[in-house]
């Protein structure tokens, strides 16, 4: 007997959830240059999907890292760097200053092209 596993985690959905969470955070805190999120908040954001907050988180963040914002110098990635701080149970995100300013100025976030990404 052979079992085929057809369930694939929806990394793009979770990446979209993180980006919208970041966007809301920036709206509420317009002076930020980076963000530190408690992993419990991300766990709740993912509706307590344990695999997505542990094993799959780096893949999800890799997709979220591809979201861009239009700037004067062309499209720039909103997230310039991220790190998962296991000891402090935190997600650290640094923003590209130009992309962040464009977002604050009302430009919208553009998702990456899912057809060109391998995950």
């Amino acid at each position: 007997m052979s079992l085929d596993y057809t369930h694939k985690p929806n990394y793009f959905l979770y990446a979209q959830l993180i980006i919208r969470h970041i966007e809301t955070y920036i709206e509420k805190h317009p002076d930020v240059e980076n963000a530190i999120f408690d992993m419990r908040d991300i766990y709740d954001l993912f509706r307590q999907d344990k695999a997505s907050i542990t094993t799959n988180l780096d893949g999800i963040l890799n997709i979220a890292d591809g979201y861009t914002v239009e700037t004067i110098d062309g499209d720039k990635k909103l997230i310039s760097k991220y790190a998962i701080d296991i000891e402090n149970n935190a997600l650290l995100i640094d923003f590209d200053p130009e992309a962040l300013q464009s977002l604050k100025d009302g430009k919208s976030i553009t998702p990456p092209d899912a057809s060109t990404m391998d995950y």
Side-chain angles (χ1 to χ4, degrees):
M1 181 173 165
S2 172
L3 294 175
D4 290 328
Y5 291 95
T6 57
H7 173 73
K8 239 185 177 177
N10 195 342
Y11 288 10
F12 287 92
L13 171 63
Y14 288 130
Q16 181 75 18
L17 288 172
I18 284 181
I19 291 297
R20 293 302 161 226
H21 186 68
I22 289 170
E23 192 173 32
T24 302
Y25 180 81
I26 292 169
E27 287 173 5
K28 290 180 181 177
H29 306 93
D31 296 334
V32 301
E33 294 178 9
N34 54 39
I36 301 172
F37 298 112
D38 189 300
M39 292 303 281
R40 290 176 292 227
D41 294 338
I42 304 300
Y43 183 62
D44 288 342
L45 181 68
F46 292 167
R47 297 189 181 258
Q48 301 174 352
D49 180 348
K50 195 168 206 157
S52 293
I53 198 67
T54 56
T55 309
N56 302 333
L57 185 57
D58 195 48
I60 293 165
L61 290 170
N62 188 41
I63 295 169
D65 182 61
Y67 281 73
T68 60
V69 180
E70 181 185 340
T71 70
I72 293 173
D73 297 325
D75 289 348
K76 299 265 183 161
K77 289 183 176 184
L78 177 61
I79 298 172
S80 64
K81 184 173 78 172
Y82 66 86
I84 302 167
D85 182 351
I86 305 262
E87 288 181 18
N88 295 310
N89 203 31
L91 172 61
L92 315 167
I93 298 177
D94 290 334
F95 301 114
D96 177 271
E98 288 181 65
L100 183 61
Q101 187 56 52
S102 287
L103 183 62
K104 291 176 185 178
D105 291 342
K107 298 288 184 181
S108 59
I109 298 173
T110 305
D113 183 1
S115 65
T116 62
M117 297 190 82
D118 237 356
Y119 68 100

